[in-house]
Amino acid sequence: MRDIEVYPHLWLSISDSEYHDDVLEEVLEYNHPLQFCVELLGVNTDDTLISGAGVQRSWTFKTPKFQRSVCVDIHMPPSLLATFFPTEGGEIPSQFSLLAKGDDWQTMLHPKKTTAVNSVAEQIINCPYQGITKRMYLQVRVLELIRLQLTPIITDRGGLQPQPRFRAGTVERIYQAREILLSRLENPPSLLELAQLVGVSDACGGLRLRTLQRGFQRLFSTTVFGYLTDKRMERAKCWLREGNRTVLEVAIMTGYSNPTHFSVAFKRKFGISPSQCLLGKKSV
């Protein structure tokens, strides 16, 4: 991991990590800065992450072994939004007020990753310069990455704004449920456990599995099970393409005790069998 202070109080982190054991991490409740994250390699490469400033809820997540992750992270206090995108009064633009919650629960948004976002993140990782020229290059690219991630908020695209039929905070909890699924693909929680972990409830405090299911359908255009299966298959495809594991090993690592069930799900997703994917890699 490399940490670079691109501007005063604005930090750029570039990480490339792979776990050789399953790691269970517990994040305690704390005051979180404003964060912009792009994952170029890993289990969640379809979306980006904007983690607003405010109080982050405590939660536990698991990172599986053999999972490599390459990320670009930007951390900064929300007050810098007024410096980079000032209003006439020098305040944070009203469109970004949801990203500066102070002592309230933070807002977490997941804009879809675009080709432009991916390209700028790769340019940051592969910066060809050194010294002051490198700093100037990264300053430009970091602001461009922030702009690209904030654009859907300004234009109200991509389903980023909480929809009125959900109770306050439910959208953030649906996204938190998704993060839990991504961290536990090989041993996912049941729907009831997932609802309990994120606290999806009705007005009387009772758990509402239907809210969880409707939230996934509305935000991710699929069911909880459909999302889980889709991400499992994407991870399995990456492992098979590496060419150093058998189909049975990948099936077990993906959470399937029955390799036949794994093969059927894989072929339904990609149109080829796991064996064909593995052989295709080895023949390259």
Side-chain angles (χ1 to χ4, degrees), residues 136-154:
M136 294 169 62
Y137 178 90
L138 290 177
Q139 285 177 340
V140 173
R141 295 301 183 275
V142 162
L143 287 182
E144 177 66 4
L145 190 61
I146 292 174
R147 183 192 68 80
L148 289 170
Q149 287 188 261
L150 288 176
T151 295
I153 299 177
I154 300 172

Side-chain angles (χ1 to χ4, degrees), residues 1 8 24 45 49 57 63 95 123 146 174 194 223 241 255:
M1 175 178 287
L24 189 66
T45 55
L49 168 67
R57 292 178 172 86
T63 303
Q95 301 99 316
Q123 290 170 16
I146 292 174
I174 299 300
L194 187 61
T223 63
R241 281 183 168 177

Side-chain angles (χ1 to χ4, degrees), residues 45 68 85 124 127 131 151 242:
T45 55
R68 185 183 173 202
F85 310 100
I124 289 174
C127 175
T151 295
E242 289 175 358

Side-chain angles (χ1 to χ4, degrees), residues 109 156-172 174-175 211 214-221:
L109 305 173
D156 195 22
R157 292 202 307 261
L160 297 179
Q161 302 300 326
Q163 301 193 30
R165 284 182 291 175
F166 280 136
R167 288 171 56 83
T170 298
V171 171
E172 288 84 353
I174 299 300
Y175 279 118
T211 299
R214 284 189 15 236
F216 265 75
Q217 193 68 55
R218 184 178 301 169
L219 296 175
F220 311 126
S221 301

